[in-house]
Each structure stands twice: as C-alpha cells, then as structure tokens.
Amino acid sequence: AWRRQIPDHIHFGTSTWTYPGWYGQVYQERYPERGAAGRMLAEYARFPLFTTVGIDSSFYGPHSPKTLAAWARVLPRGFRAVSKVWDRITVHTFTGKREGPALAGRPNPDFLNPGLFLSEVLEPFRAHFGEHTGPFVFEFQTIAGTDADPGRFAEGLDAFFGLLPRTAQYAVEIRNPEFLTSSYLAVLRAHNVAHVFNSWSRMPPIGTQLDLEGTVTADFIVSRALLRPGRMYSEAVEAFKPYDRVREVNPGLRGDLVRLAETAVALRIPAYLIVNNRAEGNAPHTIAAVARQLAESLPPVGQPGSTS
C-alpha cells in the first residue's frame, strides 16, 4: 500500500541482498550464507518496496559475464541496480590489505583510469546486465595527508568523466568532507554526475549535505545510508549483526531520506535510495519506515500535486 502511494521514479533498495537474517521479512525460504545469491535476488525483487538494489561486491573486482547474466535473468523489466565500481579505479594509494604488504603506501597506477573502467566495468555490464544497469557509484575511500587536495581531486574527476560516454549514469561518493567544495560540485554538474548523499563515519549527515547549495548535480539522485556519522564500520557490524531487526532507530536519517525523495518528486527526477544494514540494524525495516513516512507526506498518486 505504501509503494502504491509513492511515485514510480522513487526507488528503494538495500546495500546488497545476501542476508539470511531477513528470513520471514524479505525471504520466505531459508538460504545459506553463501551460494544462493541468484535465488535470493529473485525473491528480493518480488518484495513490493524494492525497485533497485545495491551491488557492493563489484567494488572488490569485476563480476564474470556468467554472474551478471544470471542476475539479469531473475530481475523484472525496468529493475535497475546501483553498482559500485571496482576499487582498482578509485583507490588513490594502496593499503596493502588486499594487494599485499609490498604495495602498501604506493600510489595506484590505475587511479581514475578511464580505459580500465570501460573495458572491465562498463562494457561487461552493458553486454550481460543490459537494461538492469543503473548508476555506477565511484566510491573514493578516505584520502589522507598531503594527497587530500580538494582542487586536485576535482580536476582529476573532470578529466576522467570527460573521457567517459554520456550514455551511462555515474555517481561519486566521497569520504573526505573537505572535498565537498563548489569546484567539486561544479565538475559533477558539468558531466551530469550525481553526488552521492552518503551517511558515513566522517561525512556530515545527509540532510546537511542536501542543505548545501548545488548538491543535486545530475538529473537523478543517489543516496547511500551506510552508517551513523561518527560511528566506525566495525562497531556497527558488532552491534547489529545478524541484521534481523532494527536495533537503533535513527529518526534524523529517516527524515533526511524522506527529504531526498521529496526533492526528487519536486524536481521530477529519479532517486535511488540505498540503505545498509549498518545504518539501523535492518535495512528492510528502515526502508519500510521511510516509505511509510514518505507515503504519508505526499499527495496520493493521481491527485493534484502528485507525480507518477
């Protein structure tokens, strides 16, 4: 009932979907921890409130054509995913955690490499995921020290997106609050790239980001509600796992997501609102609460003042 009261271009989804703890909520079948992603995605896509999904695993490496094609087969028409881009393209300096200790502290030679993005990310998605390809999220983890230069970062983005085709949707998620400058926003706007309204440890709340002038930089909106600002990821995992229920209601975050959706409705542009289990403990229940609040705040679909 709430979904019917929300315009079709407002999309809710979770930050990945392979959580057995959602049994009895999203899933009516009990799934194992691993090996059931395709079957879980098929059932996930039938849940009324979900019309998008966040593919986070693509951050750690490109998926095979076989995997992308298998996921595409189980999704309904018009269902588009928000996919994180391989971190080989977005990591500025190697940490040594996955690349090996020998590379720790070394600059990544493929940072903002447009050719690598085209060959290893965009083209496989186009070929094997087709109409389900939604916005690509370039997540830039915290850049430290003298390398954290807002002007240089904006210039790099400008050069990079200038070489990408405009036929796909791109979004940038930053973890350095000092990068949230007018130059950064101007670069995104010039290339129709969305600023990702993210709730993260070191970032200001989503509502604070929305209140800044010009943070809606594209003809679509992307948000990722990940963590309460000030909380570390490991702390949230320890506090909320196995993600079977909401353990900490965050009214501010819920209100900010409603505001984002209302902004998209007013501008008549799509919004992709992704929620992580680490935000409150259980992403489906967080989305349900936000959807209910949004449905109650909007004019009924089909009546004056509403959009569909």
Side-chain angles (χ1 to χ4, degrees), residues 174-292:
I174 55 176
R175 301 286 175 82
N176 287 69
E178 66 271 27
F179 286 178
L180 195 54
T181 64
S182 59
S183 296
Y184 159 78
L185 296 172
V187 165
L188 299 190
R189 195 174 302 112
H191 297 283
N192 195 37
V193 174
H195 163 69
V196 176
F197 293 90
N198 63 330
S199 183
W200 184 253
S201 306
R202 295 186 59 242
M203 291 295 291
I206 286 173
T208 302
Q209 295 176 43
L210 182 59
D211 288 337
L212 296 175
E213 183 177 357
T215 44
V216 178
T217 56
D219 57 8
F220 60 99
I221 287 173
V222 178
S223 175
R224 298 209 317 134
L226 306 169
L227 294 173
R228 180 188 288 271
R231 171 173 283 153
M232 300 304 293
Y233 181 86
S234 58
E235 295 172 359
V237 171
E238 183 176 350
F240 296 153
K241 204 171 180 179
Y243 314 120
D244 56 349
R245 65 187 185 276
V246 167
R247 295 173 184 265
E248 181 183 286
V249 173
N250 186 339
L253 174 63
R254 294 180 178 187
D256 288 346
L257 292 175
V258 170
R259 285 185 59 205
L260 270 181
E262 291 173 336
T263 299
V265 170
L267 294 174
R268 298 177 181 265
I269 61 176
Y272 297 87
L273 308 179
I274 301 294
V275 177
N276 194 295
N277 277 331
R278 265 68 67 172
E280 293 188 332
N282 179 275
H285 277 288
T286 301
I287 289 172
V290 172
R292 179 178 184 175

Side-chain angles (χ1 to χ4, degrees), residues 39 72 79 85 98 106-107 112 162 211:
R39 288 188 292 132
F79 191 106
V85 171
R98 290 195 295 111
R106 293 190 181 184
L112 292 178
D211 288 337

Side-chain angles (χ1 to χ4, degrees), residues 8 16 25 71 74 87 107-109 143 155 161 187 190 222-223 298:
D8 292 342
T16 199
Q25 302 168 24
W71 290 349
V74 303
D87 70 342
N108 173 15
I143 299 174
E155 290 172 1
F161 287 115
V187 165
V222 178
S223 175
L298 295 175

